[in-house]
Amino acid sequence: MRSWLVVGSAAVFATTFSGTAFAAPIGPETYCLPTDPGLAELSGLTSIDGVLYAIGDSGADDRVAVLDANCAVDRWIDVPVDPYDVEDMTAYDGSLWLADIGDNQMRRDTVALTRMNPTTGVGELHRLTYPDGAHDAETVLIEPGGRPVIVTKELSGVSGVYVPTGDESVTELSSPGPTALRKVGDMAFSATGTVGGPPFVVGSILATGGAVSADGTVAAVRTYTDAYLFDPSDGDIASALVDPNAPRAVVALPDQPQGEALTFLDDGSLLLGSEAGFGPTDGTLPPILRLPDAQFVELAGPEPAARESVSPTPSADRSSDTPAATDSEWGFRAAVAAGVVLIAGAVGFTVRRSMRSR
């Protein structure tokens, strides 16, 4: 479920990851090619014991797909509660955890995590409440100790990072709740220049998914165009996301039409999934891509000056001759973007896809 506001470059209003190390692009491989139309809205991926699970977002989030090695749907499992807008999925302690946290119009009183048995589909709802009003979000991570972390999706590029007020693990959340959340801090993005994402959207500043490596040593938050890798050395992922001095790296991702899903495999590779929304119109679904050894990318602390992000070779219908902007160029772009945003607001051109209510 999407609600797009056409803007210029909202990234100019966000604080950059100062001194973040930009890693060399990792050559992507095609892991498998989904063909089931039920995966056209693919927004969440996770793996349990080598089995891959996938889910779509609003309108396609009432069941979870169990995929075989070729991404064919082996079976569908019905979600145990009627979802509002599932936008991410992860696994912990042998269960699937569905992040029912989408809220494009920011009108929900509660969001939720839904636990689901990957074999039987049995599970329950755990409602959550923000301390500062409604937020749209598409990213959930579960720390090695079980505490859930939600990263909001903000047009400003400054995402809020939230955890339960009492630092409860997912297994300690009340059902149906709600459990109150507290804000740990902000995770701010700046445009990287990496090619990809929906048209007219600065995809490099919008958080669209999260994942944690099998051993809990690396956390990843993706945008439509890049993956931010973190080293939560003490298992405190939330603090690592908001700490500008925490070791991290940015990996430019391959061009995907609407990349929102990712998960680590046990071998340290990172799988990337995309919705089909802005892709080919012939019904072909985007492949699930694999970045080998992504977990082992060298992470670093702050550097004196930021480097340019290098994107993988773009597809033939994308322009590749625009370099990443320097700090001085952003000042100019800020003025241009401000004008574009004002014009966009005046025109009021908003494209909305239908949304369901529970």
Side-chain angles (χ1 to χ4, degrees):
M1 185 252 312
R2 296 289 170 273
S3 177
W4 296 115
L5 172 63
V6 179
V7 299
S9 178
V12 298
F13 302 111
T15 304
T16 182
F17 276 123
S18 177
T20 295
F22 286 86
I26 303 172
E29 304 171 352
T30 296
Y31 181 78
C32 57
L33 183 62
T35 57
D36 193 305
L39 298 174
E41 298 287 329
L42 179 60
S43 291
L45 283 172
T46 197
S47 176
I48 299 177
D49 296 331
V51 178
L52 192 62
Y53 299 84
I55 193 168
D57 60 16
S58 181
D61 56 355
D62 57 345
R63 57 184 184 166
V64 171
V66 184
L67 304 182
D68 67 16
N70 298 312
C71 280
V73 177
D74 183 59
R75 63 190 177 99
W76 290 97
I77 313 172
D78 291 336
V79 173
V81 296
D82 183 25
Y84 184 93
D85 185 11
V86 175
E87 289 286 355
D88 202 2
M89 178 171 61
T90 190
Y92 184 77
D93 198 27
S95 292
L96 297 170
W97 289 88
L98 283 54
D100 191 349
I101 55 178
D103 190 12
N104 284 337
Q105 297 183 359
M106 292 186 288
R107 64 183 186 183
R108 298 177 64 174
D109 294 327
T110 64
V111 293
L113 295 177
T114 299
R115 188 193 68 83
M116 183 171 170
N117 184 296
T119 301
T120 65
V122 172
E124 68 283 326
L125 184 72
H126 303 271
R127 292 193 177 94
L128 307 167
T129 57
Y130 292 108
D132 50 3
H135 295 277
D136 188 27
E138 298 185 2
T139 301
V140 69
L141 309 99
I142 298 181
E143 297 174 336
R147 185 177 66 167
V149 179
I150 294 175
V151 181
T152 65
K153 180 182 182 184
E154 308 289 348
L155 289 175
S156 67
V158 181
S159 293
V161 177
Y162 296 83
V163 299
T165 299
D167 293 323
E168 295 93 336
S169 72
V170 287
T171 58
E172 296 171 333
L173 296 176
S174 62
S175 177
T179 296
L181 298 173
R182 64 181 174 88
K183 186 175 182 179
V184 177
D186 290 317
M187 179 179 177
F189 301 88
S190 284
T192 61
T194 305
V195 172
F200 310 116
V201 174
V202 186
S204 56
I205 66 166
L206 301 175
T208 63
V212 181
S213 63
D215 61 5
T217 61
V218 177
V221 173
R222 74 164 296 168
T223 66
Y224 289 119
T225 59
D226 303 277
Y228 290 75
L229 305 180
F230 300 84
D231 174 18
S233 56
D234 57 356
D236 187 350
I237 291 174
S239 294
L241 299 185
V242 302
D243 180 3
N245 296 312
R248 63 187 66 193
V250 182
V251 177
L253 299 180
D255 187 355
Q256 294 181 298
Q258 195 170 327
E260 299 189 2
L262 78 167
T263 189
F264 282 101
L265 297 182
D266 290 344
D267 64 2
S269 60
L270 193 61
L271 295 188
L272 307 168
S274 175
E275 292 194 25
F278 294 94
T281 57
D282 61 359
T284 302
L285 301 184
I288 292 178
L289 302 175
R290 175 177 176 263
L291 297 186
D293 298 326
Q295 179 182 341
F296 309 109
V297 168
E298 183 177 356
L299 306 183
E303 298 179 353
R307 300 182 227 158
E308 291 183 351
S309 173
V310 182
S311 301
T313 303
S315 59
D317 61 345
R318 300 271 193 170
S319 171
S320 61
D321 57 0
T322 303
T326 64
D327 289 343
S328 60
E329 288 172 329
W330 282 122
F332 171 76
R333 293 189 182 188
V336 174
V340 173
V341 172
L342 289 175
I343 293 172
V347 173
F349 179 62
T350 304
V351 180
R352 288 189 176 88
R353 288 168 62 182
S354 62
M355 61 185 297
R356 310 187 289 127
S357 60
R358 192 185 304 181

